[in-house]
Amino acid sequence: CATIAGTFYPDRSNGNLQRASRLMCLDIDKKENPTITDWQRLKEWLCKGDEHIVFASLSVSGEGLFVVYAISRPERYEQLYRRAEIDFGSWGIRLDSSCKNVGRLRVLSYDKHPYWNEFATPFDVDFEAEEAAPYTNAPQIPPTQAPQQPQQLAAGYHQPQAWQSPYRGRNAATVEDKVRECCAQISKHGIDVT
């Protein structure tokens, strides 16, 4: 299990975030999206067109997606999550609203073909400018384009810091071993993670 948004102390309360990762967890579940049947294809479609996705994989059940977004202003986590809900909603996809909590615990899942983009562009919104002119159009995802390299945001938007992978240079076997142990404990104790 992990808290995607950062490290917390002494517990996962919103006010106890010690170090922000500049990442946001998005959950797309079958419960909120009963008409989606091909989750692998949805993952591929999203990852080809959404430059903010750092990582995406199938959920534990295989009937949902676990998506990690790069964000520029972790202090605006909940507001950015609400904006992502609007954007995904315009594509006919409902996000699990319980993930808007910065301290949300995430059970890591295995996907034979996860998506990884260490060059993801941090998601940001100029909330002050929006108060004057409300947001109405989500970006369009062209399903045939490959993800773009980070680009400068449009004039008037806050310039984000480049996102850096917290796993760069780490031993992948160590992370894999931790995930394997977590899954063994879940299985051993019969914990329902869906």
Side-chain angles (χ1 to χ4, degrees), residues 70-124:
I71 60 172
S72 61
R73 294 193 278 174
E75 70 277 9
R76 297 276 184 127
Y77 188 95
E78 192 169 328
Q79 290 170 299
L80 289 170
Y81 193 90
R82 287 187 187 134
R83 172 49 56 78
E85 285 181 310
I86 293 169
D87 291 352
F88 278 75
S90 74
W91 306 321
I93 301 168
R94 292 191 59 201
L95 299 179
D96 179 348
S97 63
S98 63
C99 287
K100 70 178 176 263
N101 175 351
V102 71
R104 176 83 170 174
L105 191 62
R106 174 71 201 180
V107 173
L108 302 178
S109 54
Y110 175 77
D111 184 339
K112 190 173 182 177
H113 303 288
Y115 173 82
W116 176 255
N117 176 17
E118 65 182 300
F119 301 106
T121 301
F123 183 55
D124 196 12

